[in-house]
Amino acid sequence: MRVRPIDSTGVRFGLVGAANTLLDACVFLAIAALGVPLVVANLISTSAGMLLSFALNRTYTFRTAGTDVRRQAVLFFAVTLTGLWVVQAGVIALLASAPLVVAKGTGIAAGMVWNYVLYRRLVFRQRPEAGCGQ
């Protein structure tokens, strides 16, 4: 079995993931420290992280800023929310007998793979440019 190295898009995806996770955590902690209920703080912080993720994945990771932003936004949020609420939750449910950190960590990893594959192949897909005769 041949192992392929991670390409530059994969590296950029990882950097964007780290940035939006850091933003999520910082916003959550700051808002919660102000006394905002945790569920509300989490909703605000995860929304900020997803917005940053969309902007950076669109412009930096997959470099598709010149394409239809509305189409990409709808697909991005559908893919991301499915990854969070279906894929991650499903993996956690499947690993319910494992330690909580293992179940959650595996769920996060599965969600990341889900997101990367669908962002690359669907959301931010590079469409071939029409040439002469097309």
Side-chain angles (χ1 to χ4, degrees):
M1 180 170 132
R2 184 176 156 202
V3 176
R4 293 185 346 188
I6 296 175
D7 66 7
S8 60
T9 303
V11 172
R12 290 190 305 267
F13 179 78
L15 292 171
V16 168
N20 68 53
T21 300
L22 181 62
L23 176 67
D24 177 3
C26 290
V27 169
F28 175 78
L29 293 171
I31 293 173
L34 295 174
V36 174
L38 297 182
V39 171
V40 175
N42 189 61
L43 179 64
I44 294 168
S45 69
T46 56
S47 296
M50 279 194 290
L51 289 171
L52 180 65
S53 178
F54 175 72
L56 291 179
N57 276 308
R58 182 170 193 270
T59 59
Y60 173 67
T61 304
F62 298 102
R63 299 177 178 164
T64 59
T67 57
D68 184 4
V69 67
R70 286 177 290 193
R71 175 190 166 277
Q72 287 178 334
V74 168
L75 290 172
F76 176 86
F77 290 105
V79 166
T80 302
L81 293 174
T82 301
L84 286 171
W85 294 339
V86 177
V87 175
Q88 193 177 123
V91 169
I92 291 168
L94 286 172
L95 298 176
S97 62
L100 193 56
V101 69
V102 171
K104 179 66 172 176
T106 305
I108 289 170
M112 286 174 51
V113 170
W114 164 270
N115 286 346
Y116 181 75
V117 169
L118 289 176
Y119 291 170
R120 186 172 193 148
R121 295 189 179 182
L122 177 68
V123 178
F124 301 113
R125 180 180 66 195
Q126 298 287 342
R127 296 176 185 241
E129 295 195 22
C132 292
Q134 290 185 355

